[in-house]
C-alpha cells in the first residue's frame, strides 16, 4: 500500500474568497447573451441601472412573448432578488407558464404575483394551484379578469410570421365555465 505522508503543494497563505457583486442590469444582459439574444429593451428599462438591490417590480410587457424571451427572462428571475412579478395581459403557452412558475417556485422574497387579464385554461389552473401549494413566500396573488382593465402591455405588432404555438385561452368575461 502506497501512502502520501505530506501534501505535495502548500500555500504560504490561504486564498481569499472573491467578493463579487453583479449589478442587476448586467445580470439580465448576461442571461440574454447566454441564450444568444439581445436584451429586451422593455424589460431592461425596468431594471435600475447599476443597482444591486432587489427589484421591486418587474413586468413582462410583450403580450405574446417568444419561448426564447421566456427562457432568458426566467433565467434572470431564478437568480435575481425580486419582490413583485407581473404577467398582466400576457398570453402564454402551457410550456411557457410551467417554465415561469418553476422559476418562481423557490423565490424566498417574492411577495406578489400578478396575472391580471392573463388567459388561464383548465391545465393552467392546475399548474397554478400546484405552484401555490408549494410556494412558501408568496403573499399576494392578483388574478383579476376584467377586459376593461388597462394592463400596460405593448400593442401586438402584425408580422408576416404565423406562430403555430397553441396559447392558453379562456372566457375573458366569465370564469364560471371553468372546472373548479
Amino acid at each position: 500500500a502506497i501512502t502520501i505522508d505530506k501534501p505535495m503543494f502548500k500555500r504560504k497563505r490561504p486564498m481569499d474568497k472573491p467578493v463579487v457583486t453583479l449589478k442587476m442590469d448586467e445580470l439580465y444582459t448576461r442571461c440574454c447573451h447566454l441564450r444568444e439574444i439581445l436584451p429586451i429593451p422593455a424589460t431592461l428599462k425596468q431594471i435600475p441601472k447599476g443597482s444591486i438591490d432587489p427589484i421591486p417590480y418587474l413586468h413582462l410587457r410583450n403580450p405574446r412573448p417568444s419561448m426564447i424571451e421566456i427562457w432568458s427572462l426566467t433565467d434572470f428571475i431564478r437568480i435575481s432578488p425580486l419582490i413583485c412579478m407581473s404577467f398582466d395581459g400576457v398570453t402564454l403557452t402551457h410550456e411557457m407558464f410551467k417554465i415561469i412558475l418553476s422559476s418562481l417556485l423557490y423565490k424566498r422574497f417574492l411577495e406578489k404575483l400578478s396575472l391580471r387579464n392573463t388567459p388561464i385554461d383548465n391545465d393552467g389552473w392546475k399548474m397554478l394551484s400546484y405552484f401555490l401549494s408549494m410556494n412558501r413566500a408568496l403573499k399576494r396573488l392578483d388574478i383579476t379578469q376584467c377586459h376593461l382593465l388597462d394592463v400596460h402591455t405593448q400593442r401586438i405588432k402584425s408580422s408576416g410570421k404565423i406562430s403555430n404555438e397553441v396559447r392558453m385561452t379562456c372566457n375573458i368575461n366569465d370564469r364560471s365555465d371553468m372546472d373548479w
Side-chain angles (χ1 to χ4, degrees), residues 4-163:
I4 298 175
D5 56 344
K6 61 182 179 179
M8 295 176 70
F9 178 80
K10 187 174 182 179
R11 289 193 181 275
K12 298 203 189 265
R13 60 186 176 108
M15 287 181 64
D16 294 331
K17 292 182 181 176
V19 177
V20 178
T21 54
L22 195 58
K23 297 169 181 71
M24 292 296 125
D25 56 333
E26 291 175 4
L27 185 63
Y28 176 68
T29 302
R30 286 186 184 183
C31 288
C32 289
H33 288 170
L34 286 172
R35 294 287 182 178
E36 298 180 353
I37 65 168
L38 292 173
I40 309 299
T43 303
L44 193 57
K45 287 178 188 174
Q46 298 176 63
I47 302 170
K49 192 167 185 146
S51 174
I52 59 171
D53 296 332
I55 300 167
Y57 181 81
L58 188 62
H59 181 196
L60 179 62
R61 296 193 185 278
N62 186 352
R64 294 182 63 83
S66 65
M67 186 59 99
I68 194 72
E69 184 179 349
I70 293 294
W71 280 335
S72 61
L73 180 67
T74 55
D75 289 346
F76 175 69
I77 289 170
R78 231 178 264 277
I79 58 177
S80 66
L82 186 63
I83 297 171
C84 178
M85 187 67 217
S86 172
F87 295 96
D88 296 345
V90 178
T91 306
L92 303 164
T93 65
H94 289 108
E95 187 67 22
M96 289 175 183
F97 197 51
K98 184 167 55 172
I99 291 168
I100 288 167
L101 293 178
S102 67
S103 72
L104 294 170
L105 187 60
Y106 296 109
K107 299 295 291 178
R108 292 184 308 178
F109 303 110
L110 181 69
E111 291 185 10
K112 182 179 179 183
L113 175 62
S114 182
L115 298 165
R116 294 185 301 173
N117 287 349
T118 301
I120 302 173
D121 62 8
N122 286 333
D123 291 334
W125 283 111
K126 290 175 187 174
M127 286 187 270
L128 183 61
S129 298
Y130 180 75
F131 166 78
L132 293 172
S133 70
M134 298 297 287
N135 186 286
R136 300 289 179 236
L138 193 66
K139 294 179 181 146
R140 293 186 296 273
L141 175 68
D142 189 353
I143 53 173
T144 305
Q145 196 74 32
C146 178
H147 65 282
L148 299 175
L149 184 67
D150 183 23
V151 290
H152 305 292
T153 57
Q154 298 170 339
R155 283 179 278 162
I156 297 175
K157 296 175 185 170
S158 60
S159 64
K161 297 180 198 174
I162 297 174
S163 175

